[in-house]
Amino acid sequence: MKIKKAMEQLDVFFDLSKKKQNKKCDKLKKIILSLEEKKSDIKKQLKRESRKDKNSKECYELCKEFKVILKLIKKAKNHCVSE
Amino acid sequence: MLKRIITPLLFLIFAYFIVSNNDAKTIIAGIAIFLIGMHYMENGFKLFSGGALETILKKFTSTTPKAIGTGFLSTAVVQSSSLVSVIIISFLSAELIGLTQAVGVVFGSNIGTTTTAWLVSSLGLKIKIAQYALPMLIFGVIMQFSKHSSYKGMGSVLIGLGFIFLGIAYMKEGFETLKGGLDLAEYAMEGYLGVFVYILFGAIATIVIQSSSATMAIIITALATGQIDYINALSLAIGANLGTTVTAFLGSLASNKNGKRLAVAHFIFNIITGLIAVAFIYQLKDLVDVLAGVFAIPATDNAMKLALFHTIFNVIGVLAVAPFIKPLVRFLETLFRTQDKDRGLPKYLSAEVMTIPASALEALRKETIHLYDKSLEAIVHAMNLHRTQIFSDRKINTIVEQSVSPIKIDIDKIYQQDIKNLYSQIIHYASMSQDIMDEDDNEKIYELKLTARNIIEMVKDVRELQKNLNHFTKSNNIYMINEYNKLRTQLVTILRRIQEIRDYEGEQEDILTQIQVLKEKSIDNEVVLNKNIDSLIRENKINSNMASSLINDVGFTHSICKKLLNSAVTLWVKDKEVKELGDEYED
């Protein structure tokens, strides 16, 4: 039992999980950044398309993509905070 | 019956020999400890490398010289050519590298394996390494209690090294004391007769011990203690190289076609190298003497000179065979071809790969994709379409409207013949390999198992859909035909998009976004289709029987689409962080 406890202490000492968490958060930040860029691109396109025809197929597609990206950004931010 | 008697009898004779002969006991115990060490080291590297070895072998094999160099370095570091071979077979099976590169790695690995001889002749014999072996064993065992697989792996490597050095010490001690009673050097044989006899001894010893490294360790310790003659030791080393081909060849019998092809390449290489070494043994001996002077190896240090000889003749072998890799590969490709009876059999799951977590995972992913492709064929044909149509540039609506005649296909038969067995093999393999995997990898395996199940369920769903589709497309009700065409269009759209996603090489979040958009659209489609059915009933364009069938089939289609898209996330979104966003998205 004592050896197990000592090993757990050693694990904590050598623990890379914090490093791993930081790495994961950095990755998530990059993903958020890339998604944000896409969001603003789609927003511009959506404005342009909706000026032409709000009920067009293109508008519907862009709207869907925009909503999905918003959700993904929200999830990524939540993940980053919880990490 | 005879086997039942002979085996225990041989065992008893061997046991009596060990008990009655103290010196032999020490040597044999040394060999046994050395072999345990090799075993621990190999297993340790499997856990410890955490995929690093696989990454190196995957990335640095683009040209033949690179492949040879990588094979040499990786084997020299992990001290196990069999581990490198297993990884290479798994890559070859997963089509991550070509046969030419794989053969290059195997050739390089042959040079890499000669570093064991250097390790034994330098560290093992020069330093009293046994005194370092015990602390290595102690720390190795302590590290085994760790929860982290990398520490456990590191512990196993330490235990392995400890046992290897302890084994060498025992062998050396055994040979030294043996010399007092029996001097094997008295049986030294000169000339080519001696060369052939000792080659045979070396080969037999390697076949029995199943490890050329262990045989080399015995030869070097015996040589260092003066128990064998130098020229006979050179012959034994050639024999050990030849013996290892027999072991590898026997081991490959249970392997897949790639394993067998590599074993043949290994066999050809070692036979040619062996022949060169035998033909020029005396010239090589002279060359070793010259080079020993260059590398500051004392003229009396036969153990290190043997290690040098071992390396030189393997390097010469590589130089002699490497220019012929392309014709060799062409020849190997004609061997062990896939036959029609192999339908429904896994392509990527091999037993050797199962022991390496990263490779086992990749093999499972590839096999699940194989299952997906098989099922895709069934799904597409059940929809009265062909894959070439789906993956063409033609408009989906046109394809669907034009392909109305039913394709004669028995989904049940395809399921039983091609799909069910593949699925069972995936589940079996996944469950077996889960045993050695850490929490993260276990999660990935679970995802793949779930995906395989989803794929199977898709086939079952499409079986139901097919019955009504064929029934109603033959009917005169244009509304029903239109509605079923909409279902087919939805499926084809998703299949085509998934195919594009498979080939997409851009950012991972783009892939996930596209899949999630398709999921959202599929939900919208289900609502629209159900509303359509309501209007058709109200307008009396379809009867209640038609409506109930259609409602069920809208459900089946939605279920198939959802499963297809979930499978796409598991199979083609590689980035863990991005994939997790998709998982959360489900909530």
Side-chain angles (χ1 to χ4, degrees), chain B residues 66-214:
Chain B
K66 264 191 192 174
I68 292 172
T70 308
F72 162 69
L73 281 175
S74 46
T75 309
V77 171
V78 302
Q79 287 291 306
S80 168
S81 59
S82 51
L83 175 59
V84 174
S85 297
V86 166
I87 295 172
I88 285 302
I89 292 170
S90 73
F91 285 172
L92 202 53
S93 304
E95 288 158 15
L96 292 172
I97 60 166
L99 190 57
T100 314
Q101 288 101 309
V103 171
V105 174
V106 167
F107 287 179
S109 184
N110 265 288
I111 306 175
T113 198
T114 65
T115 51
T116 312
W118 287 100
L119 195 75
V120 177
S121 62
S122 54
L123 281 177
L125 296 176
K126 301 272 180 307
I127 306 167
K128 285 198 170 171
I129 204 76
Q131 64 191 31
Y132 299 107
L134 298 179
M136 277 180 185
L137 289 172
I138 293 164
F139 282 105
V141 169
I142 290 174
M143 289 178 102
Q144 293 284 303
F145 289 99
S146 174
K147 279 184 292 184
H148 293 289
S149 57
S150 50
Y151 291 140
K152 269 189 184 173
M154 227 187 282
S156 290
V157 171
L158 273 181
I159 293 175
L161 268 175
F163 276 136
I164 284 174
F165 291 138
L166 204 62
I168 294 168
Y170 271 107
M171 278 189 257
K172 199 177 154 195
E173 190 191 315
F175 277 119
E176 269 165 2
T177 45
L178 183 71
K179 203 169 184 188
L182 171 77
D183 191 358
L184 291 174
E186 286 174 13
Y187 300 96
M189 293 166 91
E190 284 183 4
Y192 263 99
L193 178 69
V195 169
F196 288 121
V197 169
Y198 276 86
I199 283 175
L200 195 67
F201 280 158
I204 291 170
T206 307
I207 294 165
V208 172
I209 304 172
Q210 298 270 303
S211 163
S212 64
S213 298

